[in-house]
């Protein structure tokens, strides 16, 4: 059954006046708010059924389908549906930030289920509430309306592989030339490495990724891994001596983790209100739990030919590793790593806390690293 979309471009069956999806104002639909219900002061005395048993399905990061139970004997007099879609209130939200304006959508009555779509009011991984009102447009232009339905809650989905591919293409534009490197490294406090020795059997163990980066990333809060870096200083070819994460560094030869049996996935592209841009990549041994999670969700990269991180075996048999110069790579290795496979030593630089990306929020206004479906 063909669904009607509520979005920037509404189905052609709607007139320009009625069909434009917008915040419904008091003037445009003669609706007013009273105790959470919308009423029409000029309504004709007509009894319309209340939408019941609302079901939400086919949820993506920027769309969903909605349907409800309808009395077939009342459908003839129904001309429109009003849908009240709001972000679920977050008690921990910034009180100084302006509140989201409730979004009322109006569409001509179409066969159900109906698709609600539009990146301008739907964000990925966001909880929403939705309620429905049945309406009948009168000859004088007023609307007879039913009572509002019960409120239903749902959460939009993560970015799909299509959206991540769009981020990937944006990241490729600014990645820059490739520089050689030879080690992966992880900066932490001395207590972290002591805990690995005393409690974890001298291993670094995967942990759940934090909420840094794009809001719609399928990695945040789900993928387990070990955060690693590989960026080098342009003038020395070595890892930088400064770090926001701690004064001690675990360093391991690149060939130990980035083997011919390692798969490479693109995970995210973001910035934090600065000129620096970050690319998240996942290194997962083939067949591992991390590999199984990523292969259905993330774009896979050719390890010998991509714009971010490569492993190329030369004619002489030597393997050369390279990383992109103009983005900061954040690598997630999905399996435990033995400390004995590398070395731990103290670095001489400063601890630059301002460069930490722990739970960092993406700049939603950056045109370089945002796509149309959300942050």
């Amino acid at each position: 059954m063909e669904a009607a979309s509520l979005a920037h471009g509404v189905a052609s069956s709607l007139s320009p006046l009625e069909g434009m999806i917008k915040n419904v104002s008091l003037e445009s639909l003669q609706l007013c708010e009273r105790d959470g219900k919308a009423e029409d002061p000029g309504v004709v005395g007509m009894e319309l059924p209340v939408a019941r048993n609302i079901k939400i399905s086919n949820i993506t990061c920027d769309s969903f389908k909605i349907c409800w139970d309808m009395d077939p004997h009342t459908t003839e007099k129904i001309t429109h549906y009003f849908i009240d879609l709001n972000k679920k209130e977050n008690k921990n939200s910034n009180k100084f930030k302006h509140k989201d304006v409730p979004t009322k959508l109006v569409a001509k009555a179409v066969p159900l289920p109906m698709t609600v779509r539009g990146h301008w009011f739907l964000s990925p991984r966001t909880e929403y509430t939705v309620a429905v009102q049945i309406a009948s447009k009168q000859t004088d232009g007023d609307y007879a309306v039913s009572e509002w339905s019960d409120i239903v809650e749902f959460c939009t989905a993560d970015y799909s592989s299509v959206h991540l591919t769009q981020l990937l293409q944006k990241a490729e534009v600014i990645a820059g030339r490739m520089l050689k490197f030879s080690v992966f490294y992880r900066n932490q406090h001395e207590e972290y490495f002591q805990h690995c020795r005393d409690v974890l059997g001298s291993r670094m163990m995967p942990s759940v990724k934090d909420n840094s980066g794009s809001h719609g990333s399928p990695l945040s809060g789900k993928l387990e891994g070990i955060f690693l870096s590989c960026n080098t200083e342009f003038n020395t070819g070595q890892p930088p001596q400064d770090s926001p994460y701690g004064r001690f560094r675990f360093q391991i030869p690149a060939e130990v983790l980035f083997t011919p049996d390692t798969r490479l996935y693109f995970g995210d592209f973001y910035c934090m209100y600065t000129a620096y841009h970050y690319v998240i990549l996942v290194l997962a041994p083939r067949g591992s739990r991390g590999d199984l999670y990523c292969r259905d969700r993330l774009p896979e990269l050719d390890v010998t030919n991509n714009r971010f991180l490569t492993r190329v075996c030369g004619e002489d048999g030597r393997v050369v590793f390279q990383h992109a110069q103009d983005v900061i790579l954040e690598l997630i290795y999905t399996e435990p790593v033995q400390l004995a496979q590398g070395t731990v030593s103290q670095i001489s630089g400063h601890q630059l806390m301002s460069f930490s990306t722990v739970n960092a929020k993406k700049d939603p206004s950056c045109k370089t690293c945002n796509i149309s479906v959300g942050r």
Side-chain angles (χ1 to χ4, degrees):
M1 193 174 290
E2 190 65 28
S5 296
L6 300 181
H8 271 291
V10 186
S12 59
S13 60
L14 306 186
S15 72
L17 181 61
E18 299 165 346
M20 291 296 292
I21 301 308
K22 56 180 183 269
N23 291 335
V24 177
S25 65
L26 181 64
E27 293 78 17
S28 62
L29 286 181
Q30 299 183 346
L31 298 178
C32 61
E33 292 294 332
R34 182 181 298 171
D35 298 328
K37 304 292 185 181
E39 298 178 354
D40 180 357
V43 69
V44 178
M46 174 184 291
E47 228 181 276
L48 291 171
V50 178
R52 303 189 185 281
N53 194 25
I54 293 177
K55 296 185 180 67
I56 306 294
S57 61
N58 295 81
I59 300 171
T60 71
C61 66
D62 64 347
S63 69
F64 62 92
K65 285 188 176 182
I66 184 170
C67 66
W68 54 86
D69 291 343
M70 291 278 289
D71 182 350
H73 298 97
T74 61
T75 55
E76 288 186 4
K77 55 187 176 183
I78 297 171
T79 62
H80 291 79
Y81 303 138
F82 298 157
I83 297 178
D84 192 4
L85 179 67
N86 298 280
K87 284 186 180 179
K88 190 176 178 181
E89 287 189 15
N90 181 3
K91 294 181 180 179
N92 299 320
S93 61
N94 186 347
K95 293 181 179 179
F96 296 97
K97 188 177 180 181
H98 72 274
K99 293 184 178 180
D100 291 303
V101 178
T103 304
K104 297 220 173 28
L105 311 175
V106 55
K108 279 191 174 180
V110 295
L112 300 176
M114 178 172 61
T115 298
V116 179
R117 175 183 294 116
H119 67 259
W120 60 280
F121 61 82
L122 282 174
S123 297
R125 268 198 181 196
T126 303
E127 292 184 325
Y128 287 92
T129 63
V130 64
V132 176
Q133 193 175 45
I134 307 301
S136 177
K137 191 172 184 179
Q138 308 300 293
T139 55
D140 60 1
D142 284 343
Y143 287 84
V145 295
S146 70
E147 293 183 7
W148 282 102
S149 69
D150 291 337
I151 295 174
V152 175
E153 299 179 0
F154 70 99
C155 184
T156 48
D158 299 334
Y159 284 157
S160 69
S161 58
V162 173
H163 302 115
L164 289 170
T165 299
Q166 293 175 15
L167 277 178
L168 164 63
Q169 292 167 346
K170 278 181 163 282
E172 288 175 333
V173 173
I174 70 161
R177 70 190 185 102
M178 303 293 282
L179 300 178
K180 291 182 180 180
F181 76 100
S182 59
V183 297
F184 294 121
Y185 56 92
R186 175 173 172 81
N187 298 301
Q188 273 290 347
H189 299 285
E190 185 177 16
E191 293 77 12
Y192 167 82
F193 293 110
Q194 196 60 50
H195 179 77
C196 291
R197 297 186 187 97
D198 297 343
V199 180
L200 303 178
S202 293
R203 295 180 299 170
M204 295 188 297
M205 299 299 293
S207 59
V208 177
K209 183 192 172 299
D210 65 11
N211 290 317
S212 61
S214 299
H215 190 59
S217 169
L219 303 180
S220 298
K222 296 182 179 180
L223 181 70
E224 292 186 354
I226 300 170
F227 173 88
L228 298 169
S229 300
C230 69
N231 288 83
T232 57
E233 292 182 323
F234 174 74
N235 56 341
T236 66
Q238 299 298 315
Q241 285 298 307
D242 300 320
S243 168
Y245 303 107
R247 297 292 300 277
F248 284 78
R249 173 174 293 164
F250 171 78
Q251 196 163 285
I252 185 171
E255 60 265 22
V256 176
L257 303 183
F258 199 1
T259 72
D261 207 34
T262 303
R263 301 181 79 169
L264 181 65
Y265 296 94
F266 173 85
D268 200 4
F269 177 44
Y270 72 100
C271 71
M272 305 180 298
Y273 301 90
T274 67
Y276 303 104
H277 277 86
Y278 298 81
V279 169
I280 298 178
L281 303 177
V282 180
L283 290 160
R286 190 178 302 274
S288 66
R289 185 167 65 173
D291 179 32
L292 297 178
Y293 178 85
C294 293
R295 70 184 184 185
D296 294 329
R297 295 173 174 86
L298 307 181
E300 184 176 3
L301 302 177
D302 181 347
V303 297
T304 66
N305 183 25
N306 67 80
R307 299 297 307 277
F308 311 110
L309 186 74
T310 59
R311 180 190 190 280
V312 179
C313 186
E315 294 181 358
D316 58 358
R318 295 179 58 188
V319 178
V320 176
F321 299 92
Q322 292 186 304
H323 71 81
Q325 175 185 353
D326 294 342
V327 293
I328 299 174
L329 295 182
E330 297 183 318
L331 309 177
I332 299 174
Y333 187 74
T334 63
E335 299 301 302
V337 175
Q338 294 282 350
L339 292 180
Q341 293 177 294
T343 60
V344 177
S345 59
Q346 188 170 356
I347 58 177
S348 59
H350 301 286
Q351 188 169 343
L352 305 175
M353 295 305 296
S354 62
F355 285 90
S356 172
T357 61
V358 175
N359 287 315
K361 300 304 179 185
K362 181 175 183 175
D363 178 2
S365 65
C366 178
K367 295 181 179 180
T368 300
C369 61
N370 279 282
I371 56 178
S372 61
V373 293
R375 297 164 292 173

